[in-house]
Amino acid sequence: MIKNELYPHVFRPIKVRGLTLKNRLQYAPTVVLKCSPEGDVTQEMLDYAAWQARTGVAYVTIGNTPVVHSDSSAWLCEMDVTRDRCIHGMNRLAVTVRENGAEMSVELAHAGRGSASSPGNPALAPSDVPLNGGPLGHIKAMNRGDMDFIRDSYVDCALRCRKAGLRIIMIHCAHNNLLAQFVSPLSNKRTDEYGGSLANRMRYPLEVLRAVREAVPDMVIECRVSAQEDLPDGLQFDESLEFMKRAQDYVDIMHVSRGNIFFNYGSTFTIPTYFKGRLLNVPFAQRVKQELRIPVAVVGNITSLAEAEEIIAGGKADIVVMAKSFMADEDLVHKSVRGHAQDVRPCIRCDWCGNANTYGTSMRCAINPKLGKDLNTTGIIPADKAKDVMVVGGGPAGMTAAITLADMGHRVTLYEKSMGLGGLLRDAGLAPFKEYLRLYTGWAVRAVGKSGAKVVLGTEVTPQLVERENPDAVIVACGSKYIVPDIPGIDSAKVVMAADAEGHKAEVGSRVVVCGGGVVGLECAVALGMEGKDVTVVDMVPVGDFARELAVFNKIDLMYHLEKYGVKLVGGRRVTAFSDEGVVTEAAPGMPVGGVRGDSADDAGAAEEAAPGMPSGGVRGGPSVDEGGAMKTASGDVVIYPADTYVIAMGVKPDRVLADELLSRYPEGVYVVGDCVGAGRLLADANQDAFHAAYRIR
């Protein structure tokens, strides 16, 4: 038994409509895509829900559960609660969660204008207002029959949840989903009694809430609301608060969230990016709690039990809601109550988990390969079965491999040729807005030190060293090297690497050209823009393909910050030389010939894919592109971008020399992981590779 001395308010039970919740923690609703394409509960979904419950929360909310599964689903593989044949699976899920220590709720939702649609099956919405002002769907403004049907669908699903044994449901009135679309002046342009004034705009959502309350008087109903949509014409806090005051007549918990999910700047608050600070919505929740008579829950970049304790003890909310912090470390509660909060693996806010929705794949975590899985690694290898394992490379893959192997019970030696661990993670965390990544890097280095693995720094591993040490297995995690192009002028004093520019290891002038439109180049451009530099980014690909590897909401926020700091983006130009005048470019193969405007995202036909919903007045999906002082030849084939400093951010290439040598010598026992596997790898790939390679060594 662990006595609760650190978090007295977090672990104080709360009684809501006759249901006692064991503590003040909720696992936030997330889209996990672990049901079947038809919406049936799968074994993977059961396992995931059990994993969620074991985190120690009072209740788990299954995210985005559509009330009209056939045509209101925003994503494939969401749970179906719309038919009686689903009750069996729903009940199995609720029982599984309860058997693992928590209550289960579902987030009943309708995506409205964000629903899947076709010409013959338009999305239902309060008004025909396309997403982001573009032709992104077929929309029908709801008539009275449609409104009655959707209201009855909410009621029907609530009743089915009760039949399945649930005691809590959530009604989704946030993020510009259907009910929120009625409340928001951005999406409600009706001229009848359901549009215009706030009283009219909130009329229909209140009718739905009242109908659900009347249908399930004994169930706890939680209502999720955006405090504001963070868009100029969207819902503002004063109106949202008035809606919450009226809605409390029909619900038991008010859940304060934020933003507008539909791929605009507001979405970066709904799914907080790595640019956002902590406790994002707590000030709103505190104000809501002052005005409402029912318990208030709050979500948004809450990362620890210490923060949760401060929120509840300070009277700012009654329930604290987290998801990504639990995804990053399912033992957050268990470590914290034992006084080991410093050992909690911190989320980096990369949104690799949520980006799975974009591709329709099952949710995974970039830094926690055990997410949702009942995979115990601690001490699973008996001492007499332990192997001597050599890990080569102290970057993210090597550190994860060493931590996992040592936890399993193997004898591990980690070799790193530099004098410190971290690899390219250290460079990736240099920008001032990359605090979450810096915290993770520090955690990983500490975890290696505590793991029991032997660490040998300043030693480059060769085939001869491997032969001499004769390990039972080798995990090769040599990572990658920065690409330095072999072009004229590369040795100029004006040329610096991105990491040296960000880390202030090189002098950077007031006018900068960054060569490379990937994440490294664009983050460097923002960092330099924050310092007041005049920055232009040049790349071969269209502007719409810049930072293509970045998760969608982080890309939207990155593009927002590029515009905020006046960074100019130029696509379709290949860097051919560095001269005294500037960065010399020519049109990339297949791209238009001409100046900067001719290579902008609009002219390249890539704007719409970049970041829909960005502020108007510039290139859609990125900052406006102007001539930027570029000098052209008479033919326009060559364009020179003058600058004081030329920054290289042209990507990385795998360091496969040792891996290929060992694979050719040893047919078994060699595992290649991380960046050295091939080009285009992510931190998530490194950690997933390393964990599963280590787990296979038995």
Side-chain angles (χ1 to χ4, degrees):
M1 295 282 287
I2 303 295
K3 189 175 181 181
N4 177 30
E5 296 178 337
L6 299 174
Y7 312 104
H9 295 84
V10 170
F11 293 100
R12 181 177 298 162
I14 183 171
K15 192 171 185 177
V16 184
R17 195 168 284 267
L19 176 64
T20 299
L21 300 171
K22 68 180 184 181
N23 59 43
R24 305 301 185 90
L25 300 173
Q26 178 189 170
Y27 197 115
T30 53
V31 179
V32 300
L33 306 185
K34 294 183 184 294
C35 290
S36 73
E38 297 75 30
D40 295 324
V41 173
T42 61
Q43 187 59 50
E44 184 183 14
M45 185 65 193
L46 290 168
D47 292 343
Y48 187 79
W51 178 92
Q52 289 178 293
R54 290 195 296 269
T55 60
V57 297
Y59 64 115
V60 172
T61 304
I62 306 301
N64 208 63
T65 309
V67 296
V68 186
H69 195 270
S70 59
D71 57 17
S72 74
S73 297
W75 313 105
L76 194 66
C77 300
E78 294 175 318
M79 186 170 69
D80 187 0
V81 298
T82 65
R83 294 172 291 174
D84 285 347
R85 62 174 292 275
C86 303
I87 291 176
H88 178 74
M90 295 164 60
N91 176 254
R92 287 184 67 201
L93 197 63
V95 169
T96 296
V97 170
R98 202 165 290 137
E99 287 175 347
N100 284 276
E103 288 291 331
M104 189 184 95
S105 176
V106 298
E107 181 184 47
L108 297 178
H110 192 297
R113 63 192 183 123
S115 303
S117 63
S118 65
N121 186 32
L124 297 177
S127 305
D128 185 2
V129 180
L131 294 176
N132 309 314
L136 302 180
H138 305 275
I139 298 172
K140 176 190 176 185
M142 296 167 68
N143 58 33
R144 183 70 254 177
D146 297 323
M147 295 166 70
D148 291 345
F149 170 70
I150 296 301
R151 180 202 62 210
D152 293 346
S153 296
Y154 274 96
V155 169
D156 180 57
C157 291
L159 288 167
R160 192 167 291 107
C161 287
R162 184 172 66 179
K163 290 178 183 178
L166 277 72
R167 297 165 179 156
I168 314 174
I169 55 173
M170 174 186 283
I171 306 296
H172 200 346
C173 294
H175 309 159
N176 206 246
N177 280 276
L178 177 64
L179 298 182
Q181 287 166 25
F182 271 91
V183 182
S184 173
L186 179 71
S187 45
N188 186 342
K189 305 299 182 182
R190 299 176 74 99
T191 57
D192 61 5
E193 68 270 30
Y194 292 98
S197 68
L198 175 61
N200 283 352
R201 283 185 276 119
M202 64 183 177
R203 188 186 309 276
Y204 180 65
L206 292 174
E207 288 177 1
V208 172
L209 292 173
R210 180 171 61 246
V212 173
R213 167 51 71 212
E214 291 173 352
V216 288
D218 54 337
M219 292 189 79
V220 175
I221 301 177
E222 184 172 7
C223 182
R224 195 176 207 195
V225 180
S226 287
Q228 61 185 30
E229 288 188 320
D230 293 283
L231 293 171
D233 299 322
L235 183 69
Q236 304 302 319
F237 179 61
D238 57 343
E239 290 195 333
S240 180
L241 181 59
E242 287 304 310
F243 171 69
M244 287 187 263
K245 288 180 182 179
R246 290 291 306 279
Q248 70 176 328
D249 291 341
Y250 311 114
V251 304
D252 304 291
I253 301 171
M254 194 62 66
H255 180 118
V256 179
S257 186
R258 190 168 172 183
N260 178 322
I261 193 62
F262 293 116
F263 307 108
N264 49 53
Y265 185 60
S267 67
T268 69
F269 293 90
T270 300
I271 311 293
T273 70
Y274 56 78
F275 286 95
K276 300 293 189 282
R278 290 175 175 75
L279 313 183
L280 205 57
N281 303 321
V282 171
F284 294 117
Q286 184 173 13
R287 176 73 186 282
V288 172
K289 183 168 170 55
Q290 291 169 354
E291 300 283 344
L292 267 60
R293 62 182 180 272
I294 62 174
V296 173
V298 65
V299 71
N301 267 10
I302 302 168
T303 65
S304 68
L305 285 197
E307 292 172 353
E309 177 68 19
E310 191 277 330
I311 291 167
I312 299 168
K316 300 171 185 177
D318 303 285
I319 297 169
V320 169
V321 188
M322 296 183 276
K324 290 186 177 181
S325 297
F326 289 129
M327 293 181 204
D329 195 332
E330 65 272 29
D331 290 326
L332 182 152
V333 170
H334 310 307
K335 291 177 180 178
S336 298
V337 298
R338 287 163 174 77
H340 302 301
Q342 72 279 5
D343 293 336
V344 173
R345 182 191 297 109
C347 173
I348 61 175
R349 271 22 189 198
C350 69
D351 199 38
W352 194 66
C353 53
N355 211 47
N357 302 341
T358 305
Y359 305 107
T361 57
S362 183
M363 176 184 283
R364 295 192 296 166
C365 178
I367 60 172
N368 182 11
K370 294 195 289 184
L371 172 69
K373 300 176 181 178
D374 188 13
L375 281 179
N376 177 38
T377 55
T378 303
I380 63 173
I381 305 298
D384 61 340
K385 301 291 185 181
K387 297 182 181 297
D388 292 306
V389 185
M390 175 185 287
V391 178
V392 184
M399 291 191 291
T400 293
I403 293 166
T404 304
L405 289 163
D407 186 49
M408 292 169 65
H410 291 301
R411 296 180 294 272
V412 185
T413 304
L414 170 60
Y415 290 85
E416 165 56 42
K417 65 181 178 181
S418 74
M419 293 308 296
L421 299 178
L424 296 187
L425 278 181
R426 294 196 178 276
D427 290 350
L430 287 170
F433 46 82
K434 297 299 288 289
E435 178 198 6
Y436 297 116
L437 185 61
R438 290 193 294 273
L439 290 172
Y440 170 74
T441 303
W443 171 88
V445 172
R446 291 195 307 274
V448 171
K450 293 180 178 181
S451 70
K454 179 181 178 182
V455 178
V456 180
L457 300 176
T459 301
E460 183 169 2
V461 174
T462 63
Q464 292 75 27
L465 178 59
V466 174
E467 185 173 357
R468 185 167 68 248
E469 293 297 321
N470 191 30
D472 297 304
V474 179
I475 292 183
V476 183
C478 292
S480 54
K481 298 179 178 179
Y482 290 119
I483 294 173
V484 180
D486 185 15
I487 59 177
I490 191 65
D491 295 327
S492 167
K494 286 188 171 185
V495 177
V496 303
M497 299 302 293
D500 293 333
E502 284 186 271
H504 302 101
K505 294 180 180 178
E507 185 175 344
V508 177
S510 60
R511 197 172 191 183
V512 182
V513 172
V514 176
C515 304
V519 174
V520 171
L522 296 186
E523 288 183 345
C524 179
V526 171
L528 294 175
M530 293 171 70
E531 296 176 6
K533 312 291 186 184
D534 179 355
V535 186
T536 299
V537 180
V538 180
D539 201 303
M540 294 176 62
V541 302
V543 171
D545 287 339
F546 281 18
R548 190 173 185 175
E549 67 272 34
L550 199 60
V552 59
F553 300 117
N554 278 316
K555 181 173 178 178
I556 291 170
D557 217 353
L558 179 58
M559 290 295 176
Y560 169 84
H561 281 80
L562 288 163
E563 184 171 38
K564 178 180 179 180
Y565 292 106
V567 176
K568 295 171 284 293
L569 304 183
V570 182
R573 306 299 304 179
R574 184 168 70 90
V575 176
T576 59
F578 301 104
S579 70
D580 291 340
E581 290 79 18
V583 177
V584 183
T585 71
E586 63 182 26
M591 296 297 294
V593 176
V596 177
R597 286 194 183 276
D599 301 324
S600 73
D602 278 331
D603 293 325
E608 200 66 34
E609 291 81 4
M614 291 300 297
S616 60
V619 175
R620 193 166 180 81
S624 60
V625 178
D626 60 23
E627 294 294 338
M631 300 181 294
K632 307 177 199 175
T633 62
S635 67
D637 291 345
V638 175
V639 179
I640 300 173
Y641 297 92
D644 306 307
T645 305
Y646 318 144
V647 175
I648 304 297
M650 295 184 171
V652 295
K653 58 184 178 182
D655 183 358
R656 285 200 58 93
V657 176
L658 180 65
D660 291 340
E661 184 78 28
L662 294 181
L663 287 170
S664 66
R665 291 190 183 199
Y666 305 101
E668 294 181 346
V670 177
Y671 304 82
V672 182
V673 301
D675 272 8
C676 65
V677 169
R681 307 281 285 172
L682 303 174
L683 172 61
D685 299 312
N687 282 323
Q688 294 284 339
D689 286 355
F691 174 83
H692 291 289
Y695 195 67
R696 296 202 309 272
I697 298 174
R698 303 292 184 97

